[in-house]
Amino acid sequence: SADRVGLVDYALESAGGSVIHTRCSETLETKTALLSLFGFPLWYQSRSPRAVIQPDVHPGNCWPFKGSQGFVVIELAVRIRPTAFTLEHIPRSISPRGSIRSAPQDFSVYGLDDENQAEGIL
């Protein structure tokens, strides 16, 4: 599977990638009911870290986490020697609020031999 820039996406869940850990990052739970009956909430939508390895790049289809930094450990579909990385987010033009302040500003990628490894190769 390729991403929007035409490169193979080895992290994509449908291609075999998986989120195996979020380290100390916690999902930010929203308290807006997606379904209610007579004003009583019946179902809340919750986005999991798996959202980061889905091909769906639409407003609201993200992984909201607590704080200003988030960590996710992704097992790729196959072992590779990476030559490029991409991170996709909606553009400001389709943001419902006209802002993308919550979009990742900086990101780092580390290679790990196993998910419990404290530090990897940058």
Side-chain angles (χ1 to χ4, degrees):
S1 296
D3 64 11
R4 289 177 177 233
V5 296
L7 299 173
V8 176
D9 190 341
Y10 294 101
L12 196 63
E13 187 173 51
S14 60
S18 60
V19 172
I20 56 174
H21 207 287
T22 58
R23 302 270 167 132
C24 57
S25 300
E26 295 180 54
T27 297
L28 179 65
E29 300 295 335
T30 59
K31 295 298 177 189
T32 304
L34 194 60
L35 179 65
S36 59
L37 182 63
F38 304 115
F40 294 101
L42 299 176
W43 183 56
Y44 294 98
Q45 181 176 6
S46 179
R47 301 291 299 169
S48 81
R50 289 178 48 219
V52 303
I53 57 172
Q54 304 303 318
D56 187 3
V57 183
H58 291 91
N61 292 342
C62 59
W63 172 45
F65 52 83
K66 293 181 181 179
S68 61
Q69 292 184 346
F71 301 89
V72 64
V73 178
I74 299 171
E75 182 175 15
L76 302 180
V78 296
R79 190 174 188 94
I80 64 165
R81 181 174 297 268
T83 57
F85 297 95
T86 61
L87 186 142
E88 295 178 87
H89 194 275
I90 63 166
R92 181 176 287 112
S93 61
I94 66 168
S95 172
R97 293 187 180 104
S99 169
I100 54 172
R101 289 188 329 226
S102 64
Q105 304 300 311
D106 298 303
F107 74 101
S108 299
V109 177
Y110 295 88
L112 304 175
D113 290 319
D114 100 14
E115 69 181 279
N116 298 315
Q117 189 175 343
E119 294 184 21
I121 300 169
L122 182 61

